[in-house]
Amino acid sequence: MPGQAKHTAAISLGIMGAGFLATFPLGGWGGALLHGGFEAGLVGGLADWFAVTALFRHPLGIPIPHTALLPRNRDKVVRSLIQAIETELLTKESIVTKTTEFKIGERLLDLLETHREDAAAVAVRVSEFALERLPMDRIVPMLAGALESKLRELDTAGLLRKISDEALARGYEEKALAFLIDKAGGLASREETRRQLGIIGAAALQNLQVGGLMGFAVNAFISFMDEEKIGGLLQNAIVGTLAEMQQREDHPLREMLVETLRGAIRNLPESPSVLAELEGWKARLADGGEIERQLSGWLEGLRVKALDFVREQRFTDDYVLPAISGLLASLRANPQVIELFQTWVQERITGFVERNHWKIGKLVKENIDKLDNDALIEMMEDKIGGDLQWIRVNGAVCGFLIGLALEGINLLA
């Protein structure tokens, strides 16, 4: 477009020059009138060509004073441009006012509501990205170190005391005894148990060393009872006793066993062997790297399961989309939240503009400084050269018309 306008301007100037030369031989008032018009048009076209050219370079390369205005006054032009941008075109107040009118909070809500599916896809992808790039090599040692430190600081005796008190408060000794009685009853009722009891009982009777009348009675009993009868006798006695212990909480043997268990639980924190074993286990666990190995495997498995879950469609349908819908509904129902967000954003923008407004001019200057004079002139001619060339055309045409008028007045006079 600038080239076409320049070509048109050159044609208009050529027409005026050709007309000026062609009307020299003409006589009469008509020839004089045309000659005066073309003469004035030629002068106007040349004057405007000189003026337009003088903005960017020396006309015909001649260093005429007050020409090549842009290269000679480049710094002044740039400063004026920057000042105009900073103080008139892009002032702090205009930027802040325009951002206030934008209503960022409401626009974000509308955008999120319109593109809910896209927002859900982004949320899923972000979740997947975060899980895939979890720094396990840093998380695991950090957590393991914290757990090992806590384990070393752990008061074993105090922990056992708390466990003991809690167990007694919850009646775990009675529950443990009831469990043992039930299991013992099932074991004692077996056929194999009766056979083993018979063998043990018969062997015990054979080893009795009793003399006199008592010895005679024992030998008679042994000859009368075989292993099967002895086993049945002992089994019935044991099963019956266990059944009574299950039914009666005040059974003497049951009370004795419960009290024994209570004493064992109560004395557990004071047992040197138990404390030594636990301290050794604690030291091995804290110093052997076992915690880190176990934690690494557990967290890696958890991460894989979480990734699989996030990649399933039901994660989007059942969790992400309802969460977005709930968030939108909550925000719509609480306009004060949006207003608070708008105020917060506006404060951030205002502060950013206050701190960085001067950078607008700096950026403009930096970009202009990247261009040498020839490149800057070429850019300006490309942007506004077309309009400037039309000044030359208008100058030639207006000069021609004015020349006609003036020559007509001259002829009339």
Side-chain angles (χ1 to χ4, degrees):
M1 182 66 183
Q4 182 180 356
K6 189 173 183 179
H7 182 65
T8 303
I11 291 175
S12 67
L13 185 60
I15 291 173
M16 295 301 155
F20 174 70
L21 295 175
T23 55
F24 263 114
L26 299 179
W29 66 270
L33 185 65
L34 287 175
H35 185 72
F38 282 118
E39 182 181 10
L42 181 61
V43 172
L46 288 173
D48 285 341
W49 165 81
F50 184 89
V52 170
T53 304
L55 288 174
F56 303 107
R57 56 182 66 85
H58 295 298
L60 300 177
I62 303 173
I64 302 172
H66 304 293
T67 58
L69 298 179
L70 181 61
R72 285 196 309 106
N73 298 278
R74 174 172 176 149
D75 292 339
K76 185 186 296 184
V77 172
V78 171
R79 286 196 302 271
S80 299
L81 177 62
I82 292 174
Q83 184 178 7
I85 291 174
E86 291 181 342
T87 60
E88 297 180 23
L89 301 178
L90 290 176
T91 63
K92 297 178 184 178
E93 294 75 14
S94 65
I95 296 174
V96 171
T97 301
K98 183 58 65 176
T99 56
T100 302
E101 297 172 354
F102 191 66
K103 299 295 182 184
I104 296 175
E106 294 180 4
R107 289 180 179 267
L108 283 177
L109 278 184
D110 294 338
L111 184 65
L112 183 59
E113 194 161 10
T114 304
H115 301 279
R116 194 175 310 185
E117 297 288 341
D118 295 335
V122 170
V124 171
R125 188 66 190 96
V126 168
S127 302
E128 187 177 353
F129 180 86
L131 287 171
E132 287 175 345
R133 286 159 179 78
L134 274 178
M136 303 295 288
D137 55 336
R138 286 184 289 174
I139 294 176
V140 171
M142 180 183 66
L143 292 178
L147 290 175
E148 289 170 359
S149 177
K150 289 297 182 182
L151 186 60
R152 292 189 188 96
E153 298 171 0
L154 185 64
D155 180 10
T156 308
L159 179 62
L160 277 178
R161 194 170 295 109
K162 289 181 180 179
I163 294 174
S164 171
D165 294 342
E166 187 68 17
L168 292 174
R170 292 177 179 271
Y172 286 160
E173 73 283 2
E174 295 185 358
K175 296 177 181 178
L177 180 60
F179 174 79
L180 292 175
I181 290 174
D182 181 66
K183 293 298 180 183
L187 179 62
S189 300
R190 295 178 181 177
E191 182 66 26
E192 178 63 21
T193 303
R194 183 173 62 180
R195 190 176 68 81
Q196 291 295 330
L197 288 173
I199 294 173
I200 295 171
L205 290 175
Q206 291 290 342
N207 292 329
L208 285 176
Q209 301 292 330
V210 182
L213 185 60
M214 180 61 70
F216 176 77
V218 170
N219 289 330
F221 179 76
I222 293 174
S223 62
F224 176 73
M225 300 291 290
D226 55 11
E227 290 182 355
E228 184 177 355
K229 292 179 180 180
I230 294 173
L233 184 64
L234 293 176
Q235 185 182 50
N236 291 334
I238 293 172
V239 170
T241 302
L242 291 173
E244 288 184 11
M245 291 173 63
Q246 280 183 322
Q247 296 171 1
R248 293 175 49 196
E249 293 185 359
D250 61 344
H251 192 282
L253 181 57
R254 181 189 179 97
E255 291 180 345
M256 182 187 70
L257 290 174
V258 168
E259 191 57 38
T260 301
L261 287 174
R262 284 176 182 163
I265 295 174
R266 193 178 294 113
N267 295 328
L268 191 63
E270 314 301 331
S271 173
S273 60
V274 173
L275 289 175
E277 183 63 27
L278 288 177
E279 288 293 341
W281 174 81
K282 189 172 72 172
R284 290 190 300 273
L285 189 60
D287 299 330
E290 184 63 23
I291 290 180
E292 184 171 341
R293 287 190 293 271
Q294 294 293 332
L295 193 60
S296 177
W298 180 71
L299 287 179
E300 181 60 27
L302 187 62
R303 186 177 71 88
V304 171
K305 290 181 180 178
L307 267 174
D308 293 339
F309 177 66
V310 165
R311 289 166 178 163
E312 292 179 0
Q313 184 61 36
R314 66 188 184 94
F315 174 71
T316 301
D317 297 338
D318 297 345
Y319 295 94
V320 180
L321 285 174
I324 293 175
S325 300
L327 176 63
L328 287 171
S330 176
L331 292 175
R332 294 291 189 193
N334 295 277
Q336 64 272 17
V337 176
I338 302 176
E339 188 62 32
L340 286 174
F341 176 74
Q342 176 71 29
T343 303
W344 180 85
V345 172
Q346 193 60 50
E347 290 174 353
R348 304 286 85 73
I349 293 175
T350 302
F352 179 81
V353 171
E354 290 287 344
R355 293 190 302 271
N356 299 281
H357 185 260
W358 62 275
K359 293 182 180 179
I360 296 175
K362 182 173 180 291
L363 179 62
V364 172
K365 187 175 187 307
E366 288 177 353
N367 288 329
I368 293 177
D369 289 343
K370 292 177 183 178
L371 304 173
D372 57 20
N373 286 339
D374 293 338
L376 182 59
I377 290 171
E378 182 180 354
M379 182 189 73
M380 295 190 68
E381 285 185 327
D382 181 66
K383 301 301 180 185
I384 62 174
D387 294 330
L388 292 176
Q389 295 303 325
W390 278 105
I391 291 176
R392 293 173 54 190
V393 175
N394 293 334
V397 174
C398 289
F400 175 76
L401 296 176
I402 292 172
L404 289 177
L406 292 177
E407 188 62 28
I409 294 172
N410 183 48
L411 291 173
L412 289 174

